[in-house]
């Protein structure tokens, strides 16, 4: 058996996913009794390829790493070039569309339209793109359900760290009354470096040079990125149908060395905390800097790491710590959703 996949976008995440598939393909086929094949890639800058029998993974990696484009991928009988994303969704034989195009969190497009078209064409979607999930979760989840297909979004919060699957699968049956998390690596890195004596600007420049920050770092620093992620958690984990505009938000750009030193003297530490709590009908969702006590499980999470604490009525307080970004980590998030789709467990 074969599970056929089309990639929309072939940036860092897509390349990471293809590299993992190339390296672990045999293990995955043995595990699932089914082979995952990439039949199509459509990238607005790098070009597009489609072959109904599957593309050659090592040639894909070699071509893109050597030339930065897919144009030099060798011609084979049956190969089609030049399809745009919508044609790829509609005309390819893919069972699952992996949506990893550029994230536009203001409009969620074109990713929202990609999801709609894929669902209407009875194709599953897997994505690490936060836009559609934080802007249109209820509508898209309903559309996937109506069309009898699956929608995997593990990579949208904390990349390959199972921030969504762990509560949904392993903590099912609990009433999760509160989620508090450090959901943005860039701001956590800046706050850590400020504690080490760097100024806010020096720390930001370092975070950008290490590739942690979003293309527009305002999204990290002013708390928008964390706002999108807590919106996703509220919808998926706590079943709160909130939209991102409903989440109160404040960033860290106003924090100074003086604030950092004050927190230290009080036995506290600044963290950008995204939180969501439910008490009967009362729902609170917000993002902002908090000086938290040093013995809070989130206070020890330093550098670019992310973490979430889930308050469960049966299992107690559980904290998950792990990476929130990265080529392998996000590539893995795509793989784990695909594995669960193939197993019928998503
Ligand atoms: N810019 C994000 C962060 C990347 O710093 O956490 C992952 O969404």
């Amino acid at each position: 058996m074969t599970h056929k996949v089309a990639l929309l976008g072939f940036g860092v995440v897509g390349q990471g996913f293809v590299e993992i598939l190339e390296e672990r393909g045999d293990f995955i086929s043995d595990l699932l009794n089914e082979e995952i094949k990439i039949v199509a890639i459509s990238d607005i800058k790098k070009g597009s390829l489609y072959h109904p029998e599957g593309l050659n993974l090592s040639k894909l990696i070699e071509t893109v790493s050597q030339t930065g484009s897919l144009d030099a991928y060798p011609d084979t009988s049956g190969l089609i070039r030049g399809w745009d994303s919508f044609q790829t969704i509609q005309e390819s034989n893919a069972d699952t569309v992996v949506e990893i195009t550029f994230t536009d969190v203001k409009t969620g497009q074109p990713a929202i339209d990609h999801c709609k078209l894929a669902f209407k064409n009875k194709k599953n979607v897997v994505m690490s793109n936060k836009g559609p999930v934080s802007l249109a979760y209820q509508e898209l989840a309903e559309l996937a359900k109506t069309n009898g297909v699956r929608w995997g979004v593990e990579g949208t919060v904390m990349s390959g760290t199972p921030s969504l699957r762990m509560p949904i699968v392993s903590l099912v049956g609990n009433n999760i009354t509160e989620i508090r998390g450090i959901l943005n690596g860039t701001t956590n890195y800046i706050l850590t470096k400020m504690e080490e004596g760097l100024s806010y600007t020096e720390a930001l420049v370092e975070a950008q040079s290490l590739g942690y920050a979003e293309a527009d770092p305002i999204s990290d620093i002013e708390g928008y990125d964390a706002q999108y992620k807590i919106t996703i958690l509220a919808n998926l984990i706590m079943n709160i149908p909130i939209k991102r505009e409903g989440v109160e938000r404040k960033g860290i750009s106003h924090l100074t060395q003086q604030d950092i030193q004050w927190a230290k003297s009080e036995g506290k530490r600044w963290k950008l905390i995204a939180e969501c709590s439910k008490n009967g009908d009362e729902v609170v969702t917000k993002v902002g800097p908090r000086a938290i006590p040093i013995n809070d499980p989130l206070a020890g999470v330093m550098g670019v790491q992310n973490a979430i604490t889930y308050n469960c009525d049966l299992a107690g307080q559980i904290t998950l710590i792990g990476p929130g970004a990265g080529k392998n980590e996000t590539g893995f998030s795509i793989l784990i959703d695909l594995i669960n789709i193939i197993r019928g467990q998503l």
Side-chain angles (χ1 to χ4, degrees):
M1 292 261 286
T2 305
H3 190 91
K4 296 180 275 315
V5 172
L7 303 187
L8 305 185
F10 198 41
V12 175
V13 176
Q15 291 173 39
F17 169 61
V18 170
E19 283 172 18
I20 294 171
L21 209 53
E22 160 76 345
E23 194 214 308
R24 302 274 156 98
D26 292 343
F27 168 78
I28 295 161
S29 303
D30 288 349
L31 178 79
L32 301 171
N33 227 351
E34 194 158 333
E35 190 184 358
I36 299 176
K37 278 194 176 176
I38 309 281
V39 290
I41 299 182
S42 179
D43 184 286
I44 202 155
K45 287 193 183 133
K46 297 185 181 73
S48 302
L49 301 169
Y50 171 61
H51 196 297
E53 304 296 322
L55 300 166
N56 181 304
L57 301 186
S58 54
K59 289 210 171 81
L60 283 173
I61 295 161
E62 194 184 303
T63 309
V64 80
S65 59
Q66 284 178 3
T67 67
S69 134
L70 292 169
D71 294 347
Y73 181 86
D75 273 321
T76 50
S77 159
L79 184 78
I80 296 175
R81 297 178 191 269
W83 279 1
D84 70 16
S85 52
F86 293 97
Q87 206 171 0
T88 302
I89 295 168
Q90 223 155 3
E91 295 185 34
S92 77
N93 61 357
D95 303 297
T96 297
V97 171
V98 174
E99 215 296 344
I100 36 181
T101 62
F102 175 76
T103 300
D104 179 339
V105 275
K106 291 211 173 74
T107 66
Q109 294 294 14
I112 290 179
D113 286 346
H114 289 157
C115 289
K116 287 182 179 170
L117 189 66
F119 295 151
K120 286 177 187 159
N121 280 273
K122 312 284 181 206
K123 291 172 191 220
N124 311 299
V125 175
V126 169
M127 58 168 48
S128 58
N129 187 335
K130 295 171 278 246
V133 199
S134 60
L135 294 175
Y137 176 72
Q138 302 292 336
E139 183 195 355
L140 292 174
E142 190 56 40
L143 194 61
K145 200 171 158 192
T146 314
N147 284 284
V149 288
R150 320 255 180 186
W151 188 25
V153 299
E154 183 65 73
T156 58
V157 182
M158 283 175 76
S159 60
T161 311
S163 61
L164 301 174
R165 186 164 280 108
M166 187 193 78
I168 290 170
V169 175
S170 304
L171 299 176
V172 66
N174 283 279
N175 182 16
I176 298 181
T177 52
E178 186 190 46
I179 293 174
R180 290 169 66 242
I182 296 171
L183 303 179
N184 181 269
T186 301
T187 42
N188 206 48
Y189 183 84
I190 292 172
L191 293 171
T192 300
K193 288 290 159 182
M194 283 176 80
E195 263 191 54
E196 290 171 13
L198 262 62
S199 72
Y200 167 81
T201 313
E202 285 165 339
L204 169 60
V205 169
E206 231 182 80
Q208 282 178 298
S209 70
L210 290 166
Y212 301 145
E214 297 288 303
D216 177 3
I218 294 293
S219 180
D220 299 293
I221 292 152
E222 297 303 345
Y224 292 101
D225 181 65
Q227 186 191 39
Y228 304 133
K229 291 168 179 166
I230 197 71
T231 306
I232 295 170
L233 289 160
N235 276 276
L236 272 77
I237 310 300
M238 296 176 71
N239 208 16
I240 299 168
I242 192 159
K243 294 243 162 104
R244 108 191 122 99
E245 314 83 77
V247 178
E248 199 183 305
R249 175 200 52 78
K250 191 168 183 187
I252 62 159
S253 58
H254 62 286
L255 288 181
T256 62
Q257 261 308 329
Q258 243 178 342
D259 297 316
I260 302 285
Q261 294 316 320
W262 167 82
K264 221 177 204 172
S265 70
E266 296 283 311
K268 291 181 175 176
R269 180 170 271 159
W270 287 102
K271 294 288 176 194
L272 183 70
I273 302 291
E275 51 198 302
C276 175
S277 62
K278 195 165 58 175
N279 186 0
D281 285 344
E282 195 199 339
V283 171
V284 177
T285 46
K286 54 188 177 184
V287 172
R290 317 262 176 264
I292 59 174
I294 216 79
N295 61 356
D296 184 307
L298 297 180
V301 177
M302 305 301 279
V304 76
Q305 287 285 85
N306 285 199
I308 303 191
T309 297
Y310 305 87
N311 272 318
C312 310
D313 64 343
L314 302 175
Q317 191 185 74
I318 294 176
T319 300
L320 181 66
I321 303 175
K327 185 180 187 182
N328 270 334
E329 293 83 348
T330 316
F332 168 73
S333 75
I334 303 297
L335 176 67
I336 194 62
D337 275 345
L338 273 171
I339 289 176
N340 279 291
I341 284 175
I342 293 167
R343 285 174 158 173
Q345 289 174 347
L346 187 80

